[in-house]
Amino acid sequence: MKLAQLLALPATLISAVLAIPEYSEHLHLRPLPNGYLYAGFNFTASTSLSAYESQHFRYFPRSLGQILQHSDTRELHLRFALGRWDDESWGSRPRDGKREGGTGVEIWSWLDSGGGKPAVEERWSSLVNSLSGLFCASLNFIDGTKTTRPVLSFEPEGTHRGGGNGMELLHGTLPHEVVCTENLTPFLKLLPCKGKAGISSLLDGHKVFDANWQTMSIDVRPICGLGGDCRLEIQQTVDIVLDIKRSMRPRNDPIPRPRPVEELECDESKSYHASDTCYPKRKEGEMAWSLSKIFGTPVRGSCHVADGDESHDISLEVSPDRAVEVSHGGSNDTLASHEQNQLVRTMRLPDSARQHTDISLPQHIFQDSPHQNRPTLYASRQITGCGQERGGMHTVLHNPHTHQQRIVYLESLPWFLRPYMHTLKVLTHPTNSHDRPTIPLKPDQMYYTPALDRKRGTHLELLLTIPAQSTVELTYDFDKAILRYTEYPPDANRGFDVAPAIIRVLPSTHNTHNTSTAGNEIGQDSYFRTTSLLLPLPTPDFSMPYNVIILTSTVIALGFGSIFNLLVRRFVLAEEVPRSAVAVRVAGVLGKVRGVVGSLKGRLRGGGQGRGGGGVAVGVNGVAAEGDGGMNGVSSVVESRKER
Amino acid sequence: MDPTSTEDGGGVSAVEGTELPASGNAKATPPTESARTLLTRRTIVFSFWAIVLGLGLPHWLWTTSTYRASLPLSTMNDWAEGKACDLRFAFPIRVRVPGWTREEMVELSGSLSALLDHDGSDGLLDFTIHVGNADEEPILPAHGDPALTVVLHAAGSPDTNGVTSRLEPGESALHLGSGLRQAGEIADQIREITSPQQEALAYLLSGTPFAVTEHGVLRATQNTWSEASLDARNTRAFKPSTTYHLSFSLFVPGNEPSAWAIEDALAAYMTPLLDALAGVSNFTVTTQVQLHASFSPSIAGPTFDEASGKWKLRKEDLSGFVNAAEWPLSPSIGEGSTINFVLYVPAPGHSPLVVADTGGTGWLVPQWGGVAILNLDEPTTPRKSTTDTDRTTLSAANLDEIMLTFADQLTALIGLPSSPAGSLALRIAALQRERATALLLSTASTLGALSRLVHKLPNIPIPDTVATSVGTSLRHLDHACQDLRAGRYSNTDTNLGALGNAQAASEASEKAFFEPSMVGQVYFPDEHKVAVYVPLLGPMGVPLVLAGVKELLGWYRGMREKVKRT
C-alpha cells in the first residue's frame, strides 16, 4: 500500500456518509533509505459550523477560531518549514506535498471579498497580525510587498457556499523566518491533548528542529456532508525526517565525537585499506531503533477523547518480514500486519492515560533496497550571474515519467528583484540526449503581475506541459535594485531571501500509461517547492552618511573660507602688520626667559673655567664660540628686520 | 622691497597719497584705509550675515520644524481642573397615587420636593418631583424618563398593606403601603434608596478636581464600612468599556468530561442578565473546553485532609490556581476587555476539591474573572453504571449552581452596585450613572495629561488627527455633562445619553493620547543634531563670526575716535 493512498484514507472516510469523528490523531512511521526515518503526525479536529459561529468551542481551538471569525477567513493554510526533502533518495513526498511549505513561513487563505479590495487587505492584515501573535512568528511582516494573488496554483480544499464565489485568495511568504521551538509550543497548545498524552507527547522541540527536514502545517476548511450539515475542520500536521543515528545519540553526551579507531567500520576491500586508512563501510540496512530512543520519550498514554476516532493511532510501514515489538507499560508484544505481506501495520494505543507505549525494531539488513516511489517531478532553481547589478534565474524541471505532465509554476519575487520578462525562455530537451538541440516550449498560460517599488512584488505564474522524459529549463534575467539606507536589515551582507517557487502538478487527464507511478493516477494534484534562494544585493558601507557629511562639510568650509577671506581681508606689507598686544607680551616673556637662560649658561661656563689648566683652552674656545653666536644672533636680527 | 609694487590688489589699491614709511624706521604702520574700501568690506561682511540670518536661519528653522496642530489647550485644562462642568445628577421622581385627585398629589409633591431639596443641597442628586397617575402623561421633555416612580397604594389594595415598602426587580418603582402617607415618611424611603448612590458618586468624585467641598461634607458623614465596600467594589470591577467579551472555559485535568451543556445553561442563567445589562455595555460570549489542564508548578497543589475526606486547596494557592502559562485563556480579539470564567472539574482521584479555610468552591479574581470548582459526586456509584454520555458530558443540571456563581461574579466584575437589593433596574440605572461619571473623569484627566505632555515636550509633532480627536472628545464631554444634569442617562434613538457620550469622549481622548505618530518621534537627541551640524557650521561659522567681530570693533573704534576728535 502506498503512502499516498494511505494518507488519502481519511479523506475517503470523510467523503463517506459516516459520521465524522470530532477528533482523530495518527502517526505514520516509515524508514527511509540511508538511515532516515519519516514520521508524519496528523491531528484533525472538527466542529459544527453552527457551534463555530456561536463561538462554542470544544476540540477546535478557540484562539484560532476567533482569529478566523474576526478576519472573515473562509479557509486557511499555514506552513512552517525547515530543511530540504531529498527527492533523489527519499522518493516522492508525503501527502503529495500538499501539507508542505517552502522554507520559512508560508500562508495562503481565502478571505471574504465583501467590501472591495481595501476591506480584503484590511482582513488580510488583521489575519496575519493575529496569527503572528498566536504563533510567535514574524507573520506581521507579510505586507503588500510579500503578498501575491495566485490564479492557477491553489484551489480551495473545502466546500464553500456559493461555489467559492465571494472570496479571494491571498498568499504570503516569509522565506527568511527561522522556524523554531517557539512556533511549536503554540502549535501544540491548539491540540486537545496539548502534547501531554497520545502521539503528540513525542513532539519535542529538540527533536523536531534537529530533523533534516520538517514541516508543520495548519489547514482550516469547511466540509459539508451530503445531508447539508457543514463542519469546520482543522488539520494540523507535523512531518519530519530524522537521521536515526543522530537522534539516538545519548542525551547526556550530545556532542558528536570522533569514534576510536577500533570502532570504525571500514571497507576492507579497498586497495588502500591499511591500519591508518579507512574507507567507511557503506551502510547496509538499518540500525535498530525504537520510538523512545529516537524521540527521547515513549508515547505517554493516549489521546482518546469522547466522539473521537476509534481507528488506529499509529501505523508503521516496514517490510513484512521485519519483527516489530510493542511494549505497553511492562508487557511486550509483537506487532504483526493484519494481512500477510502487507507493508503497513497499524496499532491502537491503550486507553489508559498512564501507560507508556514504545515501538522497537531490531537491526535489519535489506535483501534488496526498499522500493521508493519515484517523485512526479524533480525541480531545482538557482540564481546565476555575477556582480552586484544583474543576475539571472535558472530553473530546471525534470519529468522522469513516460507521460507528459501539466504543471503550474508560481514564483513570487520581492520587488527589489526586477525580472525582464522579454528574456524569459522556456527550453526543453529529452533528458538522456544532451546533443540534441533544445526546443523552445510555449507556456499554455501565463499570468504576470509586475512589481511596484516598495508596494508590490512580482507574481509570475506559468502553465506548462512538460513532455515525457525530458527536462525543461526556464531562465530569465533580472536587475538588482539598490535599496534605501534604512531598508537594509541589520545583516545586509548575508543577502536577501527569495521565496521558493511553488510547482503544482495537475492531475493528468489522459491516463494512458497505467504505470506504477504514484501521484497522478489517483487523480489528485501534487505540490513541490524548490529551495529558497539567497540574493546578494549591493550593500553600502553603513558609516557612509557620516563620512559624506564630514567630507562635504570640509569641502564647503574650504571653499567658503578662502573666498570669504579673500573678500574681507586687507592686504598690507609685511612690515606694516601691526603687532598685536598678545604677540608683544609673548615676545617680552620669551626675551626674559632667554636672558635668564643665557645668564645661567654663562654662570655654568664660569664655574668650569676654575678647573685645571686644560680648561683654559676650552674656555677660550667657549668664549669664542659664544662671541660668534652673539655676532650671529645680532646679524640675524638685522637681517630679519631688513626682510620686514 | 617697494611697497607700492606689491599693492595692486583690487580692494587695497588706495595706497597713493599715503605716506611712505621711512626706510630707516624699525616699525612701519599700514596705510590708513580709504572710506570707500572700508565701506566695501563692511558691506561684504554685512551681506554675508544678512544672508545667513535672513535666508539661512529661517530656512533651517522651517525645514527642521515639526508640525503641531493647534489644540484647545485652555478648554482641555478646564476639564482637567474640573472647571468646565459642575457635576450634578438629575433624579426625576414621579409620584403616583391611584385614587387621588390631582390637587392632592400636587400638594404632596410640593412638600416632598421641599423636604428632598433640603438635603439635596449638599448631595449630588437633584431631585425633581412630578405627579401623574397615567404613565402616558408626559413630564417635562427636558428631563428624561423618571429615575424612580413612587406608587402609593390605597388602603384597601391587596398588594401592600401597612407600613411596608416594596421594590420590583424589573422596574424602577417603589411601592409603598397605605401606612406610609406622610411626606416625611415618603422622603425617608426615597432617601434610603438613593443614599448608596449618593455615597458611590461622592466616592468617585473624591480626590478629583470635580469634587466640591460640599461633597467632602457628604463623604465625612459616610461610615468607614461603606467606604471600604466601595473600595472593594472599585478594585474588583473592570474598567468601563463598551464591550465585554465573556469567555466560559471548562478545564479538566484528564480527558473527561469533554463536553458541557453550556448553551442551555447560558440561555437559562446568563442571557436574561446580559439582556438587562445591554444598556450599559455590549457582551459577546464564547465558550471552550480544555482537556489535560495541569496545575502550575508554582503552587503546592491540593492536599488530602483525612478528617473531612476532602482535598483542600490552600488560600495562598488560589492566586496561582489558573495556570496562565499553559491554559489557553488568551483575550478575545477586538475592542473591549475579556472576562474569564473558569470551571474546573477535578480528577476523580482529587474530588471533592475545596478551598481550605472557607470550604467554598468558587472565588473571584479582581479585574480578571471568576473561578469555580465543580465536584461531581460520583465515588459512591461505580463508574460503569453511568452511561457514556453521563461521563463525558456535564448536564445543564450540573451547571445550575455554577452558573449562579458566575452570574454573581459577573455583576461584581462589571461593578454593579449591590443596593438597592430589590430592584435590578434601579441598580443598573445607578451603574449607568457611575459609569458615565467615571468615564467623564478619566477622559478629563486624559485630556489634561495630553495638554501637559504637549506643553512639556516642545519637539513632538501633533498631527491633525489628534486635534480632531480632541475636538470630538470635548464635544462629547459637553454633551455628557448636559445629559447628566438633565437626567438623560441611557441611550435613546436621538441622543447617545450621558453614558454613550462619555464613552465616545473617552474613546476619542484615548485615541488622541496614544496617537502612534506622536509617540514615535518624541526622542530625537540633541547630540545627534550637534554631530551633524558641527562639521559644517564650525569651519564656516568661525571666519564669519571673527570677521563680524573685527568689523564691529573697528566701527566702534572709529566712532569713538570721531567723538574724541569733535
Side-chain angles (χ1 to χ4, degrees):
Chain A
M1 196 172 174
K2 303 282 154 15
L3 172 63
Q5 280 169 317
L6 178 89
L7 292 165
L9 204 70
T12 51
L13 278 177
I14 282 160
S15 58
V17 199
L18 290 167
I20 308 161
E22 285 209 26
Y23 178 72
S24 67
E25 58 176 39
H26 297 281
L27 166 63
H28 184 78
L29 295 165
R30 181 166 66 123
L32 294 173
N34 302 336
Y36 289 97
L37 174 73
Y38 161 78
F41 297 79
N42 187 339
F43 311 92
T44 311
S46 69
T47 176
S48 70
L49 264 185
S50 58
Y52 164 75
E53 269 153 19
S54 54
Q55 301 215 10
H56 295 297
F57 297 105
R58 191 177 177 196
Y59 300 132
F60 194 96
R62 165 181 165 261
S63 43
L64 189 64
Q66 284 196 328
I67 291 174
L68 299 182
Q69 278 183 351
H70 194 250
S71 54
D72 292 323
T73 306
R74 301 280 187 81
E75 187 174 322
L76 169 77
H77 303 271
L78 180 63
R79 303 279 185 272
F80 299 88
L82 202 66
R84 190 179 79 90
W85 176 269
D86 187 357
D87 286 303
E88 303 282 342
S89 54
W90 299 343
S92 64
R93 297 175 182 230
R95 309 174 210 272
D96 284 343
K98 282 185 177 173
R99 294 287 175 264
E100 188 185 313
T103 309
V105 179
E106 193 177 331
I107 177 175
W108 67 99
S109 85
W110 277 267
L111 301 169
D112 193 308
S113 61
K117 208 177 166 197
V120 173
E121 268 162 21
E122 181 71 25
R123 284 181 197 128
W124 176 245
S125 138
S126 144
L127 175 70
V128 291
N129 278 297
S130 317
L131 288 176
S132 157
L134 185 62
F135 289 105
C136 302
S138 318
L139 280 162
N140 51 327
F141 285 104
I142 295 183
D143 51 5
T145 62
K146 290 177 179 122
T147 305
T148 53
R149 292 150 196 264
V151 183
L152 299 171
S153 297
F154 300 102
E155 257 163 42
E157 286 182 18
T159 40
H160 292 278
R161 274 169 283 180
N165 287 329
M167 55 186 200
E168 204 168 328
L169 168 69
L170 284 99
H171 178 269
T173 51
L174 276 181
H176 186 45
E177 183 79 2
V178 180
V179 183
C180 202
T181 323
E182 74 266 19
N183 308 120
L184 180 67
T185 312
F187 181 91
L188 290 180
K189 262 191 176 184
L190 299 181
L191 300 173
C193 293
K194 300 181 183 59
K196 286 183 178 154
I199 56 168
S200 61
S201 61
L202 293 177
L203 288 171
D204 169 44
H206 290 102
K207 296 293 180 186
V208 172
F209 297 105
D210 193 34
N212 288 48
W213 176 81
Q214 77 87 15
T215 174
M216 291 196 298
S217 78
I218 291 174
D219 296 83
V220 183
R221 55 179 183 164
I223 311 170
C224 290
L226 292 174
D229 53 329
C230 288
R231 301 186 71 78
L232 193 71
E233 184 199 72
I234 175 170
Q235 192 177 39
Q236 289 177 260
T237 66
V238 180
D239 288 337
I240 47 180
V241 172
L242 290 159
D243 183 336
I244 295 180
K245 199 169 178 185
R246 185 180 161 84
S247 311
M248 296 228 297
R249 63 180 191 247
R251 266 221 163 164
N252 51 9
D253 188 20
I255 304 163
R257 291 172 208 283
R259 272 200 277 171
V261 183
E262 307 84 59
E263 284 180 27
L264 288 178
E265 287 175 13
C266 301
D267 189 351
E268 292 177 19
S269 63
K270 295 285 173 195
S271 59
Y272 43 78
H273 176 75
S275 59
D276 58 344
T277 353
C278 180
Y279 185 83
K281 207 175 187 174
R282 224 183 126 76
K283 265 185 229 164
E284 280 176 5
E286 192 181 291
M287 60 192 294
W289 58 268
S290 71
L291 278 184
S292 59
K293 279 187 185 154
I294 285 187
F295 290 99
T297 165
V299 181
R300 295 194 294 269
S302 65
C303 188
H304 295 157
V305 294
D307 305 324
D309 192 16
E310 302 286 332
S311 63
H312 62 275
D313 291 310
I314 300 178
S315 55
L316 184 66
E317 191 179 337
V318 288
S319 63
D321 53 337
R322 222 171 150 184
V324 178
E325 229 171 68
V326 180
S327 69
H328 295 304
S331 61
N332 284 3
D333 205 358
T334 50
L335 181 67
S337 49
H338 298 293
E339 289 167 43
Q340 206 64 33
N341 287 337
Q342 204 174 12
L343 276 175
V344 181
R345 307 173 198 198
T346 59
M347 64 165 289
R348 185 170 164 82
L349 295 170
D351 277 345
S352 162
R354 300 270 165 75
Q355 271 190 19
H356 289 188
T357 308
D358 197 5
I359 296 176
S360 49
L361 281 84
Q363 191 178 6
H364 181 72
I365 295 178
F366 300 123
Q367 304 304 323
D368 48 346
S369 68
H371 171 75
Q372 297 295 339
N373 295 325
R374 252 189 310 168
T376 338
L377 206 70
Y378 295 98
S380 70
R381 189 168 74 138
Q382 307 85 33
I383 283 179
T384 58
C386 58
Q388 301 209 306
E389 204 183 343
R390 281 183 203 96
M393 196 69 84
H394 181 231
T395 311
V396 182
L397 304 167
H398 164 44
N399 179 5
H401 297 285
T402 51
H403 53 88
Q404 63 175 22
Q405 297 195 62
R406 272 157 73 80
I407 64 151
V408 179
Y409 178 84
L410 166 70
E411 270 191 357
S412 51
L413 304 170
W415 66 265
F416 42 80
L417 191 150
R418 293 169 176 153
Y420 290 112
M421 276 302 121
H422 71 276
T423 62
L424 178 73
K425 282 194 200 85
V426 188
L427 300 172
T428 178
H429 62 79
T431 306
N432 293 327
S433 51
H434 285 286
D435 49 330
R436 282 180 59 180
T438 52
I439 314 142
L441 186 76
K442 196 170 167 290
D444 301 340
Q445 276 184 48
M446 177 171 165
Y447 289 89
Y448 172 62
T449 318
L452 292 176
D453 277 5
R454 295 175 181 87
K455 284 200 189 106
R456 191 173 74 190
T458 308
H459 154 228
L460 172 66
E461 247 178 325
L462 299 172
L463 180 65
L464 299 170
T465 306
I466 302 184
Q469 286 187 323
S470 55
T471 304
V472 171
E473 285 184 32
L474 194 147
T475 55
Y476 57 83
D477 296 342
F478 60 78
D479 263 1
K480 301 174 184 177
I482 293 175
L483 302 188
R484 283 185 193 141
Y485 177 67
T486 48
E487 285 169 345
Y488 286 94
D491 56 346
N493 286 304
R494 175 185 171 271
F496 291 73
D497 292 86
V498 177
I502 299 168
I503 299 154
R504 174 188 181 192
V505 183
L506 297 168
S508 52
T509 44
H510 46 89
N511 221 342
T512 49
H513 310 265
N514 268 330
T515 50
S516 65
T517 50
N520 302 45
E521 61 193 355
I522 300 171
Q524 288 189 325
D525 42 357
S526 57
Y527 284 90
F528 292 86
R529 278 162 177 85
T530 63
T531 48
S532 68
L533 296 174
L534 207 52
L535 172 75
L537 283 190
T539 41
D541 166 16
F542 287 100
S543 65
M544 175 188 69
Y546 300 95
N547 300 342
V548 168
I549 287 172
I550 303 238
L551 189 72
T552 21
S553 302
T554 314
V555 170
I556 288 176
L558 265 178
F560 173 81
S562 39
I563 289 169
F564 183 73
N565 282 338
L566 214 62
L567 285 176
V568 302
R569 282 282 164 95
R570 187 184 168 199
F571 292 89
V572 293
L573 290 177
E575 299 94 277
E576 292 166 359
V577 175
R579 294 193 71 182
S580 73
V582 181
V584 169
R585 207 167 285 169
V586 169
V589 171
L590 272 179
K592 269 182 197 165
V593 170
R594 213 172 275 160
V596 171
V597 170
S599 68
L600 274 176
K601 265 187 190 167
R603 238 181 246 173
L604 269 172
R605 297 253 163 75
Q609 258 177 355
R611 281 180 209 159
V616 181
V618 176
V620 170
N621 277 342
V623 170
E626 201 177 297
D628 237 347
M631 289 290 282
N632 280 342
V634 171
S635 64
S636 69
V637 167
V638 171
E639 265 172 32
S640 70
R641 284 209 180 132
K642 266 183 196 162
E643 270 168 21
R644 277 191 198 173
Chain B
M1 276 184 263
D2 192 355
T4 47
S5 66
T6 59
E7 299 285 351
D8 53 0
V12 207
S13 56
V15 187
E16 303 102 76
T18 55
E19 214 181 316
L20 273 174
S23 55
N25 202 342
K27 185 69 202 150
T29 50
T32 48
E33 279 181 297
S34 73
R36 224 181 75 209
T37 328
L38 214 60
L39 186 72
T40 314
R41 190 160 68 237
R42 283 184 184 163
T43 317
I44 290 169
V45 173
F46 174 78
S47 3
F48 265 100
W49 272 105
I51 287 170
V52 166
L53 294 179
L55 197 71
L57 201 65
H59 202 82
W60 175 65
L61 286 177
W62 176 61
T63 48
T64 58
S65 70
T66 48
Y67 177 75
R68 286 165 74 90
S70 71
L71 294 179
L73 287 180
S74 65
T75 326
M76 286 158 76
N77 286 334
D78 281 353
W79 271 103
E81 287 155 18
K83 287 182 208 154
C85 177
D86 179 23
L87 274 181
R88 307 284 302 172
F89 302 86
F91 200 88
I93 298 172
R94 183 210 291 260
V95 180
R96 261 173 60 197
V97 191
W100 278 21
T101 59
R102 190 166 180 86
E103 286 66 40
E104 281 176 304
M105 291 199 292
V106 168
E107 193 195 325
L108 174 70
S109 79
S111 50
L112 254 184
S113 77
L115 275 167
L116 288 170
D117 276 351
H118 174 67
D119 49 41
S121 60
D122 60 339
L124 283 158
L125 299 179
D126 280 335
F127 296 104
T128 45
I129 315 283
H130 311 279
V131 292
N133 274 336
D135 276 332
E136 58 269 18
E137 196 171 330
I139 50 174
L140 287 177
H143 299 96
D145 294 329
L148 179 70
T149 310
V150 180
V151 186
L152 264 76
H153 288 279
S157 139
D159 255 20
T160 41
N161 278 311
V163 284
T164 54
S165 68
R166 188 165 55 84
L167 289 165
E168 287 292 327
E171 55 183 88
S172 50
L174 172 70
H175 297 268
L176 294 176
S178 52
L180 299 165
R181 280 283 137 112
Q182 296 302 313
E185 287 166 346
I186 298 169
D188 280 345
Q189 290 290 337
I190 292 173
R191 255 181 244 143
E192 199 184 306
I193 285 175
T194 56
S195 73
Q197 172 80 97
Q198 300 252 30
E199 282 173 14
L201 290 174
Y203 172 84
L204 274 177
L205 290 184
S206 68
T208 66
F210 286 89
V212 190
T213 42
E214 63 200 47
H215 306 159
V217 175
L218 188 86
R219 277 207 88 207
T221 61
Q222 286 177 20
N223 51 37
T224 46
W225 178 84
S226 72
E227 187 170 336
S229 76
L230 283 169
D231 257 337
R233 204 178 101 198
N234 206 31
T235 44
R236 275 176 196 166
F238 273 85
K239 263 189 11 183
S241 160
T242 43
T243 310
Y244 290 108
H245 306 283
L246 307 186
S247 147
F248 294 87
S249 315
L250 170 67
F251 282 89
V252 182
N255 55 13
E256 284 171 347
S258 65
W260 53 340
I262 186 69
E263 283 177 69
D264 299 340
L266 284 176
Y269 292 96
M270 276 295 159
T271 318
L273 177 62
L274 297 184
D275 286 347
L277 288 169
V280 182
S281 287
N282 302 321
F283 293 91
T284 69
V285 176
T286 155
T287 70
Q288 63 173 341
V289 178
Q290 292 293 339
L291 311 177
H292 293 274
S294 55
F295 289 126
S296 151
S298 64
I299 66 167
T303 47
F304 189 65
D305 185 39
E306 297 275 349
S308 57
K310 286 176 177 171
W311 288 83
K312 300 230 161 162
L313 206 58
R314 289 189 302 139
K315 212 164 187 185
E316 306 89 84
D317 285 351
L318 293 189
S319 58
F321 182 83
V322 173
N323 188 352
E326 286 188 20
W327 295 7
L329 288 165
S330 50
S332 294
I333 302 181
E335 300 281 313
S337 327
T338 303
I339 307 182
N340 295 286
F341 293 102
V342 170
L343 173 62
Y344 185 81
V345 179
H350 280 194
S351 185
L353 181 69
V354 293
V355 181
D357 299 337
T358 58
T361 54
W363 63 94
L364 185 137
V365 184
Q367 302 191 10
W368 185 84
V371 184
I373 296 171
L374 176 63
N375 292 307
L376 296 172
D377 43 312
E378 47 83 43
T380 48
T381 53
R383 296 209 82 169
K384 297 285 169 200
S385 71
T386 52
T387 59
D388 246 21
T389 9
D390 282 351
R391 257 193 310 149
T392 56
T393 310
L394 291 179
S395 64
N398 284 348
L399 295 172
D400 278 353
E401 214 171 303
I402 301 298
M403 293 318 282
L404 285 177
T405 315
F406 282 160
D408 193 41
Q409 285 169 343
L410 176 65
T411 56
L413 285 165
I414 58 167
L416 193 69
S418 53
S419 57
S423 167
L424 185 64
L426 281 177
R427 285 165 70 190
I428 290 172
L431 178 65
Q432 276 185 343
R433 241 164 264 141
E434 286 173 32
R435 274 286 175 82
T437 317
L439 282 168
L440 199 139
L441 293 177
S442 81
T443 309
S445 88
T446 308
L447 289 178
L450 180 62
S451 148
R452 283 197 299 281
L453 179 85
V454 168
H455 184 72
K456 277 254 176 71
L457 296 173
N459 280 333
I460 61 165
I462 302 169
D464 279 330
T465 52
V466 172
T468 326
S469 297
V470 167
T472 317
S473 181
L474 287 173
R475 203 172 60 246
H476 281 295
L477 273 182
D478 275 332
H479 287 311
C481 184
Q482 286 160 18
D483 285 345
L484 282 181
R485 294 173 68 90
R488 291 187 295 262
Y489 296 111
S490 45
N491 200 338
T492 59
D493 292 339
T494 50
N495 191 353
L496 279 176
L499 183 58
N501 273 316
Q503 264 162 357
S506 170
E507 271 161 28
S509 73
E510 300 275 313
K511 200 174 144 207
F513 191 79
F514 293 107
E515 168 70 38
S517 66
M518 218 163 74
V519 183
Q521 301 196 352
V522 169
Y523 189 67
F524 190 63
D526 285 340
E527 300 94 275
H528 202 262
K529 291 180 194 162
V530 169
V532 173
Y533 292 139
V534 157
L536 180 65
L537 297 188
M540 280 174 70
V542 168
L544 262 179
V545 169
L546 281 183
V549 167
K550 200 173 157 194
E551 288 311 314
L552 271 179
L553 273 177
W555 173 76
Y556 173 69
R557 276 199 201 111
M559 290 299 284
R560 207 167 54 180
E561 263 170 41
K562 232 180 231 173
V563 171
K564 244 185 226 170
R565 243 178 261 161
T566 53

